[in-house]
Amino acid sequence: MFSKVFKPTVGYSSNEVMLLGTINHHLFDAAVQNQNFEANYLSKKIDEILSAHDIIDSMSCMGISKDDLLAKLVPSIKLICTWGEKFCKSSSNICYGQKGKEKNKN
């Protein structure tokens, strides 16, 4: 049933909601991996993610402009910043992701 609803194109679903979810996942993952939850960093990261060839291909297949997608992703920046403030800033000795594993070994 899902294969009829979510038809894949270039590694992503042609469904805009799933594309937004994929981009949000990449954004959150980058913030956690780099322990950077600042709005400026996340904005730059969104630009990088939206410049990836597979994302551009998916946007093109769905007829979605970069500006339309950016407008829908802006609320995610605040949510990720808030999450980072709540769960990561107060625990500066705890590091997450691959970089965190390297830091915690020392």
Side-chain angles (χ1 to χ4, degrees), residues 82-97:
T82 302
W83 188 92
E85 283 291 323
K86 184 174 182 179
F87 294 106
C88 295
K89 296 292 181 182
S90 62
S91 309
S92 59
N93 293 333
I94 299 172
C95 299
Y96 304 92

Side-chain angles (χ1 to χ4, degrees), residues 5 28 51 59 66 80 84 100 105:
V5 177
F28 181 74
S51 297
M59 288 188 311
K66 183 177 179 178
I80 293 171
K105 286 182 182 178

